[in-house]
Structures are given as structure tokens and as C-alpha cells.
Amino acid sequence: MAYFKVAFGFLVTAFLSAAVSLAHPGLGFGWGGVGAPGGQSGAPSYGLFPQFYQFSCPQAEDIVMSVLEKAIAKEPRMAASLLRLHFHDCFVQGCDASILLDNSATIVSEKNSLPNRNSVRGFEVIDEIKARLEEACPQTVSCADILAMAARGSTVLSGGPSWELPLGRRDSKTASLSTSNNNIPPPNSTLQNLITLFQRQGLDEVDLVALSGGHTIGVARCATFKQRLYNQNGNNLPDQTLERTYYYGLKSVCPKSGGDNNISLLDFGSPVKFDNLYFKLILWGKGLLNSDEVLLTGNVGNTMELVKAYAKDENLFFKQFAKSMIKMGNISPLTGFNGEVRKNCRLVN
């Protein structure tokens, strides 16, 4: 009987210690031997894994989805905005929620970089999710993981694929305005520039084309495609790849001077539905941004074949989008003792 009590006590202790380690990896051993990309060899490896909040905040994903459902029902475009936030976060210092930090005595906010100024949005939705999570599980769920969960949830609520999402990212104590300016692919990129910027993050051509498919939802500002309408190659002529009727429609939204903040749908056929129509529109000369169009006409690598494949087979696109989102979400996460779990996503603790 004494032996049974000792054995039972050991099991309880082991279970509780596992629970603590799951929630706070800095207090336990590395899980699964999966190190963060860019991590030092020989250091303890704290990998991301889907069950990270299983014991410390089992309701985390339900809370995220309940806030998203209301926000996206109220404004369907919000799904695209939240998906973009995750992308613009991961391409700077890794997926560490640096994009959420406001200006302060020690922080120069990434919100004012050229790719983000007057265009990134959804911060209030992230604030609401964080507030709800802080009530349920104080200082447990990181802002970086909230961004990753919001991106997946937004995709699902728009009719797109789901994926098993590795969790356990921690939040940065820094931001980088200059890296935000230099690393986020601009909308007027050449194909070679896009490939280079994605390769810098460990992402390949397949990831580039699949993740570009996120443009199946959302809008873009006139300033991001004006060059295509009026001066594509420095000769005061439009981009010849634009389908004529589409071109005239865009001109009516986006005048030669002024109107920079006027918006146009990235996928005018099904703007709030996550599907593969984006790729069909590119084939028809109706991709909105230069960075969309060059996937077909850029003459580098296999991007043309991928556009055609995803246009033909939506299921193929959905599967690859999910894989590429997991890969992007794994860019240089802070884990273990690195970073922190912010109480307020806009401020370091």
C-alpha cells in the first residue's frame, strides 16, 4: 500500500511538472528536440508544438475564435487584415509580435514603416483577444501566438483551410523599423526581388506562390498599384499585361494624381471568400498588384507553373497554403527564456 502511495504521488508530480513545462518551457527540458530556426546549437531547444497551452490555457483557441467570429461577421475584410499582420510580423524579426508594439521611450514602432503606415490594421481585434485571454489565463498566451492563431482563424472563417498550429512563441522586447522597411516585399516587386526576400526567411518559390494566394481576400490601396496604370516602365504607359476592361475599371478608382488611399479589391470575384480565384484572375490579366502579376510573367523559376496548378486545383492550393503558413509561422520564434509574454500587446512589460 505504501508503495502504491509513493508511485501514485510520483505520477501526480510528474503530471504537474509536465503541465508546468508545457506552459513555461523555460522551466523544463526541450520538447521534441526541435530548435527555433536560427537558434544556437548546443543550447536547450524549446520547439513549438500544438498542445502548448493544453494545461495552462486549454480554452485559448476557443477564446480567439469567439472574438474573430464577431469581428469578421461585422467586417469581413478584417480576416485579410489579420492574416497580413502575421505575415508583416514574421518577416521582420521572426514571429515575435514586434509589429504590435507602439512608439515609446525605448521602441520605434514598426507601424510607421513604409509597408505598414496607413495600411496595417486589426490591432483592436488583437487587443480584445488579449484582454479576454488575460482574464482567463493571466500572462500565459503570448501576443505572437495570438497573431498566429488569428491568422489561421481568419483563413478558416473565410472558407479556407485549417492546419495544426505549432504554439509556444514568446514576445519580443524590441522592434525594428529599418528591418520592416527592408524585409517586407513591396507591391511593385520584381519576381527576382520577391524570391530573394522570401529566401531570406527560409521560404522557397512554392511558399512564395502559395502565400501570395492570401490575396484571395482583402483590398489594396491605390498607391500600391498606381504605377501599373500610368507609368509601369518609366515611359508613362500602363502595364501591358493588364486586361483592358480591368485596366479601365482600376483607372476609375485610382486617378493619376491623388486618391492614394482609395481601395480596390485584390480578388474582385469573391473578395471575402478564401478560394483559388486569385490565381485564375492572374491568368486572365486581372491580378491587382505587380507582385501578383509577376508570379505569372516574371520568367524566373517555376512560379508560372505553380500559378496554373493552383488555378486548376483549389485543394492543392489549400494544402500548400497550410504547409507554407506553418513554415512561415516557424520563422525565428523566441522560446524558452527568450523574450517575454506581454500583458499588453502594445507595450513591453
Side-chain angles (χ1 to χ4, degrees):
M1 191 66 178
Y3 170 78
F4 174 77
K5 284 181 180 174
V6 170
F8 180 74
F10 173 78
L11 285 171
V12 170
T13 304
F15 176 83
L16 289 173
S17 118
V20 170
S21 296
L22 282 165
H24 305 282
L27 301 176
F29 299 101
W31 284 81
V34 182
Q40 310 248 330
S41 64
S45 63
Y46 307 106
L48 306 181
F49 57 102
Q51 300 81 19
F52 189 83
Y53 298 110
Q54 183 177 340
F55 301 110
S56 60
C57 195
Q59 67 272 54
E61 294 189 26
D62 289 340
I63 289 171
V64 171
M65 288 303 285
S66 70
V67 175
L68 289 180
E69 282 167 5
K70 287 179 190 167
I72 293 169
K74 183 179 173 186
E75 186 193 8
R77 176 188 164 196
M78 185 55 69
S81 299
L82 293 169
L83 185 56
R84 186 166 179 253
L85 260 187
H86 183 43
F87 171 54
H88 280 217
D89 179 43
C90 292
F91 265 59
V92 180
Q93 298 185 152
C95 308
D96 63 357
S98 60
I99 195 171
L100 302 179
L101 291 170
D102 286 338
N103 279 322
S104 71
T106 56
I107 297 293
V108 179
S109 178
E110 293 169 19
K111 294 176 184 180
N112 296 317
S113 72
L114 289 172
N116 292 336
R117 193 186 308 149
N118 299 324
S119 69
V120 282
R121 57 199 294 278
F123 299 109
E124 294 78 11
V125 177
I126 300 298
D127 289 341
E128 187 180 344
I129 293 170
K130 181 61 172 171
R132 292 273 304 277
L133 286 167
E134 284 299 305
E135 282 174 24
C137 322
Q139 266 204 286
T140 302
V141 183
S142 69
C143 302
D145 276 345
I146 291 171
L147 284 174
M149 287 189 275
R152 178 183 61 175
S154 294
T155 303
V156 170
L157 291 171
S158 302
S162 186
W163 53 92
E164 193 173 48
L165 178 63
L167 297 166
R169 301 163 191 81
R170 287 164 65 83
D171 301 325
S172 69
K173 300 176 185 179
T174 62
S176 179
L177 181 69
S178 61
T179 313
S180 182
N181 277 322
N182 293 326
N183 275 15
I184 295 171
N188 62 348
S189 291
T190 63
L191 180 54
Q192 186 56 62
N193 190 28
L194 288 172
I195 289 170
T196 300
L197 288 170
F198 272 69
Q199 282 177 341
R200 192 180 288 174
Q201 305 298 338
L203 301 171
D204 59 24
E205 281 178 32
V206 177
D207 301 312
L208 163 61
V209 179
L211 292 172
S212 295
H215 286 173
T216 179
I217 53 176
V219 301
R221 295 163 59 236
C222 162
T224 62
F225 57 87
K226 183 176 286 193
Q227 176 185 326
R228 297 190 74 200
L229 304 181
Y230 301 105
N231 191 22
Q232 175 69 347
N233 297 308
N235 56 4
N236 293 313
L237 293 173
D239 184 341
Q240 296 304 307
T241 63
L242 281 165
E243 191 271 337
R244 292 295 93 183
T245 311
Y246 183 57
Y247 161 68
Y248 288 118
L250 290 178
K251 280 185 75 175
S252 69
V253 176
C254 185
K256 192 167 187 177
S257 61
D260 281 4
N261 290 323
N262 295 353
I263 57 174
S264 187
L265 299 167
L266 285 158
D267 169 352
F268 65 84
S270 56
V272 297
K273 185 173 187 294
F274 199 101
D275 55 24
N276 70 333
L277 185 57
Y278 162 82
F279 295 105
K280 295 176 184 178
L281 291 172
I282 291 175
L283 293 178
W284 301 334
K286 298 177 182 180
L288 181 61
L289 304 177
N290 193 72
S291 58
D292 299 323
E293 176 59 38
V294 294
L295 299 177
L296 180 68
T297 58
N299 292 321
V300 182
N302 298 312
T303 62
M304 177 194 286
E305 288 74 16
L306 289 164
V307 169
K308 290 177 179 176
Y310 297 152
K312 186 177 180 182
D313 186 344
E314 186 174 80
N315 192 46
L316 180 68
F317 162 51
F318 277 17
K319 283 181 178 173
Q320 186 56 54
F321 184 80
K323 283 182 191 171
S324 295
M325 283 296 290
I326 292 169
K327 194 170 169 184
M328 184 183 80
N330 285 346
I331 297 172
S332 305
L334 296 169
T335 57
F337 291 108
N338 296 313
E340 63 183 12
V341 175
R342 290 184 212 139
K343 296 174 191 173
N344 177 337
C345 290
R346 295 173 181 264
L347 307 166
V348 295
N349 291 342

